[in-house]
Amino acid sequence: MIIRPDADAAAALVARIIAKELRANPHLVLGLATGRTMESVYRLLVRMHRKEGLDFSLCRTFNLDEYVGLYPDDPHSFRHYMNEHLFRHVNVDLRNTHLPNGQAPDLDAECRSYEASIARFGGIDLQLLGIGQAGHIGFNEPLSAFRSRTRVKALAPLTLEQNAQSFGGTDRVPRRAITMGVGTILESRRCLLLASGPAKAEIIAKAVEGPITAMISATALQLHARCTVVVDEPAAQRLGASEYYRRIFATEPEWEEFRCLE
Ligand code: F6R
């Protein structure tokens, strides 16, 4: 659990961790997320590609989710989001970028084949995650089974509300999405969750320090052997043990190289 002074510093830390993993393993299988929080992470990765030659040419990516019913070139689709925020600005081979196909004629077959592709590439090395206000990771809405795999999920009312703005009204938000399951996410070798802003403070405290419950999918990450949660000060306000987390980041050798990031 790492607390950074503001949203930019939190995103910078996440981008640096991703870059370090990618440099250590150019064939990294990278799990990606969409949403407002991730925009600054992708902006920083693009900058590192341009200025420091961060190389995406051999990596493979798997996104967490995609809306059912949207074509890939729909401006609201997650494929479009990824192309605009990351893929078209870096040297990733688009054939190595994977998102579920929300237009597949047989959605269950699509979900099975998505899981099979992840397995074919040896599983996800590093999974980037955001968190919804109801505690979802991916689109694993309340009561998602911790053993769930990639499947179609109906979106919860709070998720529809949260996404209403970008669609121009709650009625226009697709009702369903394909999402990796909680079980799929837990199988990735490392998880990296980023949250910022006061609206995430309550759910972050519940996710990190609260009891494990399927009502809050993010609490499943407490079962993961290597999960790092990065938040800014406003999102850290409800944490009970924040002084302890600060001390770990300030003193543990693992974080030394990341401390100087503003
Ligand atoms: C998106 C995703 C979601 C978001 C979450 C936070 O691919 O999987 O879980 O990460 O809804 O979204 P923002 O960052 O917009 O608050």
Side-chain angles (χ1 to χ4, degrees), residues 68-85:
V68 167
L70 297 192
Y71 284 99
D73 58 358
D74 186 301
H76 292 112
S77 74
F78 289 160
R79 164 58 79 180
H80 186 267
Y81 172 107
M82 288 312 305
N83 287 345
E84 289 309 305
H85 290 283

Side-chain angles (χ1 to χ4, degrees), residues 6-8 10 37 40 131 194-201 204 230-232 234-235:
D6 54 42
D8 286 346
T37 317
S40 21
I131 185 169
L194 173 65
S196 53
K200 298 284 171 74
I204 277 293
V230 181
V231 297
D232 66 353

